[in-house]
Amino acid sequence: MFPYALTIFLSAFLLFLVQPLIAKQILPWFGGSASVWNTCMLFFQSLLLAGYAYVDRSVHRLNATRQVGLHATLLLLSLLSLPIIASESWKPLGDEDPILRILGLLIATIGLPYALLSTTTPLIQAWYWRSFRQAVPYRLFALSNAASLAALLGYPTLIEPFFGGRETAIAWSIGYAVFAILCIWVGWRSISAPQRSTSIDNDQRPADEHTSIQLSSSHVAQDQEASPSLSRTLSWVLLSALGSAVLLAVTNHLTQNISSVPFLWVLPLALYLISFIVCFDRPAWYHRGFWGVTAALSLPLMIYFADSLALFQVSGLYAAGLFAVCMFCHGELASLKPHPSQLTRFYLAMSLGGALGALSIAIGAPLLLSG
C-alpha cells in the first residue's frame, strides 16, 4: 500500500497548499475582498468536480493501459505550467469584470495541475483496487483528508511566516514535479503487478448489501456489477451538500459577522476534515443515534445565538455544532459507501454535493435571503 498511500498523501497536501498560496498572490491585486475568495473557492470546487467526473469516466470507459497512458500524458503536459507564479499581466486595469479575470488567471496559472491533483484520491484508489481486489481502499480517503489537514495547519504556522510567496511557489512546483513522476510510476506499477488479494479489516468492510466482500470469485463479480440506486446516489449528494453548506455558512458567519481572526477561518475547515478522517478511518466510532441527536440540537442553538457578537461566547458553540453536523453527514456517507468497483461514482456524487452546498451559501443565500 505504501506507494499508493504516499502518492495520495502528497497530492492532497499539495492540493490544499496551493489554495492559500495562489490566493495570497492575487488577493492584493483585486482588493482582498470576500468576493475574491468566494470566486477562488468556486473555481476550486468546480475543478474538483470536473476532476472526479474525469476519473469516473476514464475508469469505466478505458482499459487499464489507456487509462494510465492518458493520465501520464496529462501529467507531463501539466509540468509546462510550472512554476505556479501568477503573471502580472493578469493584474486588473480597473474597467474589466474582476470575476472573469480571476477565473482566467487561475486557469492559466494552476488550472491543469490543480485538476490533476484533484483526480488523485479516487484514481489511485481505483488503481489500488485493481491490484488488490479484496482490499477495500476507502481508508486511503481518510489519509488524503489527513494530508489536507496537515497542509491547512502547516501553511499559516510553518510556511507563510518564514518563506516568501515566490519561494513557496517554486518549492510547491518542485513537489508537484515529484508527485507527477510518482503518480506515473504507480500507474504503470498497477498495470504490471499481478492481481493479489489481501485481508480486509472488519472496520473497513462496506456496510450495505451491495458492498459486502465475498471470498468467492463469483460473488466478487456480482458485487462489481452492482450499480448504486438513484436513491442511494441522491443520498450521497444530499449528505455531502449539507456538510459543505454548514461549513461555509459557519465560516462566513464567524469571519464576517463575529471577527476576522485568521484562526476562525482555519478552525471550521479543520473540524470538517477531522470528521472525514474519523468516519472513514474508523467507521466503528460513528454512532448514528448520538451524532444525529447532537446535530439536531446544535442547529437551532446556532440559529438562536446568530445575533450574538461575543466571540468567545459563540465560537465554541459554532465549532461544536459544525463538528456534530459534519460527523452525522460524513458518518452516514461512510455507512453508505458502495462496493469499491463503484467508488469513483461515490466520490463524484460527493464532489457534486460539496459544490452544490457551497453554491447554496456563496450564491444562493445572498440572492434569496435578506441577511
Side-chain angles (χ1 to χ4, degrees):
M1 181 183 282
F2 180 74
Y4 299 88
L6 179 61
T7 306
I8 285 180
F9 187 93
L10 181 57
S11 71
F13 185 84
L14 293 173
L15 188 71
F16 254 67
L17 192 62
V18 75
Q19 296 181 19
L21 176 60
I22 196 66
K24 186 181 178 183
Q25 289 184 37
I26 70 173
L27 278 173
W29 297 357
F30 296 92
S33 65
S35 61
V36 176
W37 177 245
N38 284 338
T39 303
C40 291
M41 289 302 297
L42 178 61
F43 170 82
F44 296 141
Q45 288 277 10
S46 300
L47 224 55
L48 182 68
L49 178 60
Y52 279 25
Y54 155 80
V55 171
D56 182 64
R57 190 168 183 83
S58 63
V59 166
H60 289 92
R61 296 296 180 91
L62 301 178
N63 62 36
T65 302
R66 289 183 177 180
Q67 187 187 131
V68 173
L70 172 62
H71 201 68
T73 301
L74 292 174
L75 284 167
L76 293 175
L77 286 175
S78 71
L79 297 178
L80 299 176
S81 303
L82 305 180
I84 55 159
I85 299 175
S87 171
E88 294 197 0
S89 63
W90 288 101
K91 280 188 176 181
L93 303 176
D95 57 350
E96 64 277 285
D97 186 342
I99 294 179
L100 293 178
R101 201 166 185 86
I102 292 169
L103 292 175
L105 183 157
L106 292 172
I107 292 171
T109 307
I110 63 169
L112 189 54
Y114 188 91
L116 292 173
L117 285 172
S118 70
T119 67
T120 305
T121 294
L123 187 62
I124 294 296
Q125 289 186 57
W127 290 350
Y128 179 75
W129 167 250
R130 185 170 59 215
S131 296
F132 302 92
R133 299 299 285 185
Q134 294 184 13
V136 180
Y138 285 109
R139 199 173 185 183
L140 292 172
F141 182 62
L143 178 67
S144 73
N145 283 281
S148 301
L149 181 62
L152 175 69
L153 300 178
Y155 181 79
T157 58
L158 300 176
I159 298 176
E160 187 179 22
F162 304 105
F163 301 96
R166 185 179 183 85
E167 292 81 2
T168 306
I170 292 174
W172 187 96
S173 301
I174 294 172
Y176 180 82
V178 172
F179 153 76
I181 295 171
L182 180 61
C183 189
I184 293 172
W185 176 72
V186 168
W188 288 115
R189 184 178 185 271
S190 71
I191 294 176
S192 58
Q195 290 185 1
R196 297 176 294 277
S197 296
T198 59
S199 61
I200 305 172
D201 211 1
N202 286 334
D203 281 347
Q204 300 306 314
R205 292 183 184 274
D208 61 272
E209 69 277 3
H210 292 305
T211 60
S212 57
I213 308 297
Q214 305 293 336
L215 296 180
S216 162
S217 59
S218 61
H219 288 156
V220 171
Q222 290 173 6
D223 278 344
Q224 289 173 339
E225 294 171 359
S227 296
S229 64
L230 177 61
S231 62
R232 173 154 299 191
T233 303
L234 291 177
S235 296
W236 296 340
V237 173
L238 179 60
L239 288 166
S240 182
L242 288 172
S244 174
V246 174
L247 166 67
L248 195 56
V250 167
T251 303
N252 285 350
H253 181 62
L254 290 179
T255 56
Q256 295 177 19
N257 300 334
I258 305 298
S259 174
S260 59
V261 178
F263 176 71
L264 290 182
W265 175 82
V266 174
L267 177 63
L269 188 53
L271 294 172
Y272 179 82
L273 293 172
I274 290 171
S275 68
F276 266 126
I277 296 169
V278 172
C279 293
F280 279 82
D281 188 60
R282 289 290 181 267
W285 292 3
Y286 171 69
H287 298 284
R288 175 180 293 167
F290 175 79
W291 289 110
V293 171
T294 305
L297 293 176
S298 299
L299 285 170
L301 284 175
M302 288 192 287
I303 295 170
Y304 180 78
F305 286 100
D307 293 331
S308 174
L309 298 181
L311 171 63
F312 296 105
Q313 238 179 8
V314 299
S315 57
L317 169 65
Y318 274 89
L322 171 65
F323 186 69
V325 173
C326 288
M327 278 295 297
F328 174 74
C329 292
H330 299 158
E332 290 300 307
L333 277 172
S335 69
L336 292 173
K337 59 185 183 287
H339 184 273
S341 63
Q342 300 294 330
L343 65 83
T344 57
R345 298 281 165 85
F346 178 59
Y347 290 126
L348 177 59
M350 286 175 58
S351 177
L352 175 61
L356 292 176
L359 285 173
S360 71
I361 302 300
I363 296 178
L367 292 175
L368 298 175
L369 305 176
S370 60

